[in-house]
Amino acid sequence: MKRATDGFRRIIYSNTHGAAYRARFQDGEVALVKEVKDLNQGKEKFFEEVQHLGQLHHRHLLPLKGFSIGCKRLLVFDNVENGSLKEHLNDPLKTPLNWNTRLQIAIGVAAALEYLLLFSNPPIYHVSISASNVMLDENYTAKISDVGLLNSVGDCVTMPHSSNSEDCMDHACGNLTFQLGVLILELITGQSSEKGSTDLIQWIQESRFRSSIQKMIDPDLGNNYDSRELKNLLAVARLCIKSGDKPKFSIPQIFRYLQKVENTCE
């Protein structure tokens, strides 16, 4: 693993959950290797998490291929041909994403979140969504790469079925909804959430934000977007960001709204 990642120097992204690296093995195979930073987690718990992550199968989740235990605990995922969404939004040497691809990325991420919350047993709440860790395959299909610990709900430690547990889940779902809203704004504006996200969030919450939409659209899009879809997508982002700790709309509802955005002009 160390050799394949050039001494853990080929960093794709890094956050509080750990770092992710691009690995190239001796047989030519390329993969994404993610470090797990939970030092208090016992081996049995780690193996349980690996088993659970290995059972997740969704078009918009990066599939787990293997793991390693040594000086570092590492998870190995499929390679992604086109790197991260952040690279395509920020790197002038990358081919700009067209409007339909950006819309499909937003819908894909929402679909993956619905799967993790409704169809995973137990539900997975500890997911990080950002342009850095949303990866794009050879067809520019979005793949979430940062799915967290088994039974983890943020920093909350709760007993099942307790009111505190429900508050925690509300908080976790609200956080996911907020992250999705920020990601949608990044897709529309081309601006990074890591630089200037506060400005983006303040802008979408303003009552007169519609009057400055033209100034905020990613210049790479030019005029090649559907204005009706754009306004509807901004409305969804605004709902997500204003949701707070107790969201008024669930992830499945937001996923359906995004699907309707796509269908408005068909």
Side-chain angles (χ1 to χ4, degrees), residues 178 185 198-209 238 241-243:
F178 180 84
L185 287 183
T198 305
D199 293 338
L200 280 179
I201 293 161
Q202 287 176 347
W203 170 68
I204 198 66
Q205 290 179 320
E206 290 174 359
S207 58
R208 297 182 180 178
F209 80 96
R238 187 175 165 92
I241 285 170
K242 292 183 78 173
S243 64

Side-chain angles (χ1 to χ4, degrees), residues 216-258:
M216 297 297 289
I217 295 171
D218 188 349
D220 284 340
L221 283 169
N223 293 317
N224 299 315
Y225 60 88
D226 186 288
S227 57
R228 197 165 163 201
E229 287 180 344
L230 171 66
K231 287 177 182 177
N232 288 335
L233 196 57
L234 280 169
V236 174
R238 187 175 165 92
L239 279 176
C240 290
I241 285 170
K242 292 183 78 173
S243 64
D245 287 344
K246 293 200 174 184
K248 294 178 182 178
F249 300 93
S250 67
I251 291 290
Q253 284 176 310
I254 292 165
F255 175 41
R256 302 292 175 263
Y257 290 155
L258 287 170

Side-chain angles (χ1 to χ4, degrees), residues 22 24 28-32 62 78-84 87-88 94 135-141 143:
R22 184 170 280 107
R24 184 178 292 277
E29 188 173 355
V30 181
L32 182 146
L62 209 55
D78 264 356
N79 177 46
V80 275
E81 289 292 326
N82 281 310
S84 70
E87 291 173 52
H88 287 271
K94 291 279 188 181
M135 314 306 288
L136 303 176
D137 71 6
E138 65 275 10
N139 298 314
Y140 294 95
T141 301
K143 307 276 186 180

